Amino acid sequence: MNTKQYIDQSSAWLPDDTGGGIAISSRVRLARNLKDQSFPSWAGDDACLNIWQQLSAVLPECEVLADAQVVSMEDISALDKQVLFERHLISREQAERKSGAGVIIRGDESVAVMVNEEDHIRLQSLRPGLALRKAWETADALDSQMEEILDFAFSAQLGHLTACPSNVGTGMRASVMLHTPGLVLMDEMNAVIKGMAKIGLAVRGLWGEGSESAGNMFQVSNQITLGEREEDIIQTLDQIVLEIIEHEKNARWRVFEQNEQRVHDQVGRAYGVLSNAHILNSKEALDLLSYLRLGVDMGIVKLKDEAVINELLIATQPGHLQKMQGKRLKAHERDVARAALVRSKLQKSPKRANRKKS
Amino acid sequence: MNTKQYIDQSSAWLPDDTGGGIAISSRVRLARNLKDQSFPSWAGDDACLNIWQQLSAVLPECEVLADAQVVSMEDISALDKQVLFERHLISREQAERKSGAGVIIRGDESVAVMVNEEDHIRLQSLRPGLALRKAWETADALDSQMEEILDFAFSAQLGHLTACPSNVGTGMRASVMLHTPGLVLMDEMNAVIKGMAKIGLAVRGLWGEGSESAGNMFQVSNQITLGEREEDIIQTLDQIVLEIIEHEKNARWRVFEQNEQRVHDQVGRAYGVLSNAHILNSKEALDLLSYLRLGVDMGIVKLKDEAVINELLIATQPGHLQKMQGKRLKAHERDVARAALVRSKLQKSPKRANRKKS
């Protein structure tokens, strides 16, 4: 398997255009395990291999997994794993596995099923923007199709059984990736994160659990999987996210009202540095792209093609950069290649005069 | 007197174009005092006023001071004083004086005579680039013309007598303003400064004595005024400056060889931020203009009109900014006005593609 095919394709976790969107994407994942089989960490290598062989044979038959690509972790290079990770198709933990583990990816990347990660099955459904219900419907449809051909480990009392007790019950984690530079600039993001924790929601960075925030992007997800219906979890999260979006809109205009020039300055410098730097590390690129996105969202700056921001958000990641160059690059070489890519993409989509606001 | 006329004129201490010039400008100043008159600090207000009235009447007759403008420190606003200071036509100390002090400025700003600063007469001759001998010849010609109409305090043993013993003798200070980003980037500028001190030369910042360095610009000048002939001082300084220029050229190419991308990055970011920022303080503007000048000097970047860099070096100073806007501005307002000026000037002189090197 070669991830080259993905490089030219828009990632499923990004919207087609920014569209003023504070919600970048929505994701629902379900943890499932096979009845009477040890969880992957307890099962031996042979058992894992058996499970992978069984599931990779039958799961592509599911209608929801149309045009599926079956990828064994054993068969692909570290670089291809990195690309899949950067596209949010596999976890960092799965990327470290070799034999007896893999992922089955729907052609358009909107659905992916990891096999023998923490659980036998981790399926995820991704949607651009705020679309938790649609993501849930797809995940649920795939879950039903799998139930027809597989026996899941299920307790009438507890619900789905999972390797980690924190997932027992629905086995579901629903999350929304949010872009909240306004709350960050107003120094209010920490308060939001604390508030979320109090109502049982987690706020994490761009790369999920344990990751630092970068590019003012945060992933909000449910923590509780036991004793609540999936629909209720989705509805609560949906409402909370709508509230955060309102807070963010409000924060953006407050920042703008308090110091209009500061916003123009931050957006302008982001564009100026992205268009002209020759060395750009991953974190700086994400942060500058965030302010450029803010400028586009607020109508402060216009680009010939605004989709370039989403494209760069993915393409500037280390794995994608190296895949595009067709070779391994050292950190400094990546910073140079990243800057060259960003300059060339922004040259093709230059800033347009916006007399109304700037 | 209104300094408005100067705003549209190129300053005499700047070259017409950068022309790869590491030496920005050369300056020779002479300290002279009138015989049998107390030095300005010891003379009373009336004596100072008498001297100013006498000198401001006769000095404009000197041929070297063609089209002279006579400016009494009493008659001009604080803002106009600031503009003259930024054009290196008066010292900060002179700007603080009121009655009985002033400056006589040749029409093209290449010669200026301060009256009743530390000495009765401080004449300076400015030339773009490295042109100490020419600057000296002009200063010497004016000195001779003044000697025909004035009696100077002179000792056969010591030479010219001055208020501060450090100027006794020739009363001359010769200096060259150098732009040395290469030595700064190579971390070698401090060694150069120490080396200069050992051979009796002083290295100061952009605004002379006591000023911090900004924009990688340094003023190298002689310290000794006693027991040496003017021509010898000029010749020694000229040789040393040529050596520093060689060091700087060498440092630039070493920086480039060691890390070509770093130079491209620094130059590119400077252009990007200058062209897009909306808040720009004076120090940052000078530093970024320095790297843009370096890029132009090294052929890394081409501007439609490279004289814009010199123009901005002067025009972005606080006094010039306020004079152009026709009103007093607070620090933050200046930062906004400065950024707007720089953006608009660079928009009219955009970066040109330079396929050869970038």
Side-chain angles (χ1 to χ4, degrees), chain A residues 51-294:
Chain A
I51 290 170
W52 165 242
Q53 283 172 342
Q54 180 203 346
L55 293 180
S56 61
V58 299
L59 288 182
E61 305 294 318
C62 296
E63 210 185 316
V64 175
L65 283 168
D67 305 316
Q69 180 96 20
V70 175
V71 187
S72 160
M73 287 302 110
E74 191 175 25
D75 295 345
I76 64 170
S77 68
L79 186 52
D80 283 322
K81 287 178 177 179
Q82 173 79 7
V83 169
L84 295 181
F85 168 70
E86 290 169 4
R87 299 181 82 79
H88 294 258
L89 294 170
I90 63 172
S91 63
R92 201 179 285 285
E93 291 71 27
Q94 188 74 337
E96 280 160 18
R97 288 189 173 75
K98 288 175 184 168
S99 165
V103 62
I104 297 148
I105 306 164
R106 183 182 151 116
D108 64 2
E109 298 179 56
S110 68
V111 183
V113 184
M114 284 191 287
V115 173
N116 288 333
E117 206 244 22
E118 189 178 288
D119 298 293
H120 294 138
I121 291 174
R122 283 278 178 109
L123 77 89
Q124 74 166 13
S125 163
L126 273 171
R127 287 274 170 170
L130 179 57
L132 281 170
R133 190 160 303 276
K134 282 192 177 175
W136 158 246
E137 283 165 6
T138 303
D140 191 39
L142 179 55
D143 188 33
S144 301
Q145 288 172 13
M146 291 197 298
E147 273 179 337
E148 286 173 23
I149 49 175
L150 301 169
D151 273 338
F152 286 151
F154 189 85
S155 142
Q157 202 189 345
L158 294 169
H160 289 283
L161 302 177
T162 55
C164 177
S166 68
N167 289 311
V168 166
T170 59
M172 182 181 86
R173 178 154 293 160
S175 63
V176 179
M177 186 72 78
L178 294 166
H179 179 236
T180 55
L183 290 167
V184 172
L185 284 173
M186 288 299 288
D187 239 345
E188 292 172 7
M189 197 57 211
N190 285 332
V192 169
I193 293 174
K194 277 185 196 165
M196 294 299 107
K198 281 188 193 156
I199 54 171
L201 297 178
V203 181
R204 300 191 172 89
L206 179 54
W207 302 109
E209 211 151 349
S211 74
E212 242 187 280
S213 102
N216 300 314
M217 281 186 282
F218 298 89
Q219 180 187 298
V220 183
S221 62
N222 67 306
Q223 288 288 77
I224 295 158
T225 55
L226 199 60
E228 282 194 72
R229 288 173 57 233
E230 288 90 341
E231 284 85 352
D232 294 341
I233 295 172
I234 297 279
Q235 196 182 337
T236 305
L237 184 59
D238 198 59
Q239 278 172 354
I240 301 286
V241 166
L242 283 172
E243 276 176 42
I244 301 179
I245 290 174
E246 278 313 301
H247 277 305
E248 168 62 18
K249 282 185 183 165
N250 186 285
R252 289 180 180 192
W253 290 110
R254 275 182 294 138
V255 170
F256 198 75
E257 265 175 28
Q258 277 178 23
N259 196 341
E260 185 177 329
Q261 292 303 337
R262 185 180 163 209
V263 181
H264 277 293
D265 190 56
Q266 204 123 23
V267 171
R269 282 170 186 256
Y271 176 81
V273 171
L274 288 168
S275 316
N276 292 281
H278 281 249
I279 301 172
L280 209 51
N281 69 35
S282 187
K283 168 93 167 79
E284 188 185 10
L286 281 174
D287 286 342
L288 295 177
L289 285 169
S290 163
Y291 288 114
L292 187 55
R293 181 188 295 271
L294 176 69

Side-chain angles (χ1 to χ4, degrees), chain B residues 284-355:
Chain B
E284 189 184 11
L286 282 173
D287 288 341
L288 295 177
L289 285 169
S290 163
Y291 288 113
L292 187 54
R293 181 187 296 273
L294 175 70
V296 168
D297 286 357
M298 294 184 82
I300 290 170
V301 68
K302 280 196 182 300
L303 298 181
K304 200 177 141 204
D305 175 15
E306 290 168 1
V308 73
I309 297 175
N310 286 324
E311 203 183 315
L312 286 174
L313 204 61
I314 278 288
T316 55
Q317 296 307 309
H320 279 72
L321 270 180
Q322 294 175 86
K323 197 73 198 173
M324 272 181 281
Q325 299 265 323
K327 62 180 175 195
R328 279 285 189 192
L329 300 171
K330 289 178 198 157
H332 179 72
E333 292 170 333
R334 289 202 299 273
D335 292 349
V336 170
R338 180 178 295 113
L341 174 73
V342 174
R343 284 202 315 280
S344 111
K345 291 277 178 193
L346 284 179
Q347 235 164 43
K348 284 175 201 147
S349 183
K351 197 167 77 169
R352 287 175 158 186
N354 186 356
R355 305 217 166 272

Side-chain angles (χ1 to χ4, degrees), chain A residues 295-355:
Chain A
V296 168
D297 285 357
M298 293 184 81
I300 290 169
V301 67
K302 279 194 182 301
L303 298 181
K304 200 178 143 206
D305 175 14
E306 290 167 3
V308 73
I309 298 175
N310 286 324
E311 203 183 317
L312 286 174
L313 203 61
I314 278 287
T316 55
Q317 297 307 309
H320 279 72
L321 270 179
Q322 295 175 86
K323 197 73 199 174
M324 274 183 280
Q325 299 264 322
K327 62 181 175 193
R328 278 286 190 193
L329 300 170
K330 289 177 200 157
H332 179 71
E333 292 170 333
R334 289 202 298 272
D335 292 349
V336 170
R338 180 177 295 113
L341 174 73
V342 174
R343 285 202 313 282
S344 111
K345 290 279 178 191
L346 283 179
Q347 235 164 43
K348 285 176 201 147
S349 182
K351 196 168 75 170
R352 287 176 158 184
N354 186 354
R355 305 219 165 272

Side-chain angles (χ1 to χ4, degrees), chain B residues 45-323:
Chain B
D45 289 353
D46 288 351
C48 281
L49 194 57
N50 278 338
I51 290 170
W52 165 244
Q53 282 172 343
Q54 182 202 346
L55 294 180
S56 62
V58 301
L59 289 182
E61 304 294 317
C62 296
E63 210 184 314
V64 175
L65 284 168
D67 305 316
Q69 180 96 19
V70 175
V71 186
S72 161
M73 287 302 110
E74 191 175 25
D75 295 345
I76 63 169
S77 68
L79 185 52
D80 284 323
K81 287 177 175 178
Q82 174 77 9
V83 170
L84 295 180
F85 168 71
E86 289 169 4
R87 298 180 82 80
H88 294 258
L89 295 170
I90 62 172
S91 63
R92 201 180 286 282
E93 293 70 27
Q94 189 74 336
E96 279 161 19
R97 288 189 174 74
K98 287 175 183 171
S99 165
V103 63
I104 297 147
I105 306 164
R106 183 181 152 118
D108 65 2
E109 301 179 55
S110 68
V111 184
V113 184
M114 282 191 287
V115 173
N116 289 333
E117 205 247 19
E118 188 176 289
D119 297 294
H120 295 137
I121 291 173
R122 283 278 178 108
L123 76 87
Q124 75 166 12
S125 164
L126 272 172
R127 288 273 172 173
L130 179 57
L132 280 170
R133 190 160 305 277
K134 282 194 175 171
W136 157 245
E137 283 164 7
T138 303
D140 191 40
L142 178 55
D143 189 32
S144 303
Q145 288 172 12
M146 290 197 299
E147 271 178 338
E148 285 173 22
I149 49 173
L150 301 170
D151 273 339
F152 285 152
F154 189 84
S155 143
Q157 201 189 345
L158 295 171
H160 289 282
L161 302 178
T162 54
C164 177
S166 68
N167 289 313
V168 165
T170 59
M172 184 181 84
R173 178 153 293 159
S175 62
V176 180
M177 186 72 77
L178 294 166
H179 179 235
T180 56
L183 290 167
V184 172
L185 283 173
M186 287 300 287
D187 239 345
E188 291 172 7
M189 196 59 211
N190 284 332
V192 170
I193 293 174
K194 277 184 194 164
M196 295 297 108
K198 280 187 191 156
I199 55 171
L201 298 178
V203 181
R204 299 191 174 90
L206 178 55
W207 302 109
E209 210 152 348
S211 73
E212 241 187 279
S213 102
N216 299 314
M217 282 187 281
F218 298 90
Q219 180 186 300
V220 182
S221 63
N222 68 307
Q223 289 287 75
I224 295 158
T225 56
L226 199 61
E228 283 195 73
R229 287 172 58 234
E230 287 90 341
E231 284 84 351
D232 295 340
I233 295 171
I234 296 281
Q235 197 182 334
T236 305
L237 184 59
D238 199 57
Q239 279 172 353
I240 302 286
V241 166
L242 283 172
E243 276 176 41
I244 300 178
I245 290 174
E246 278 313 303
H247 278 304
E248 167 63 17
K249 282 184 184 166
N250 187 283
R252 288 180 182 193
W253 290 110
R254 276 183 293 136
V255 170
F256 199 74
E257 264 173 28
Q258 277 179 22
N259 196 341
E260 185 178 330
Q261 291 304 338
R262 185 181 163 207
V263 181
H264 277 292
D265 190 56
Q266 203 123 22
V267 171
R269 283 170 186 256
Y271 175 81
V273 172
L274 287 169
S275 315
N276 292 283
H278 281 249
I279 300 172
L280 210 50
N281 70 35
S282 188
K283 169 92 168 77
E284 189 184 11
L286 282 173
D287 288 341
L288 295 177
L289 285 169
S290 163
Y291 288 113
L292 187 54
R293 181 187 296 273
L294 175 70
V296 168
D297 286 357
M298 294 184 82
I300 290 170
V301 68
K302 280 196 182 300
L303 298 181
K304 200 177 141 204
D305 175 15
E306 290 168 1
V308 73
I309 297 175
N310 286 324
E311 203 183 315
L312 286 174
L313 204 61
I314 278 288
T316 55
Q317 296 307 309
H320 279 72
L321 270 180
Q322 294 175 86
K323 197 73 198 173

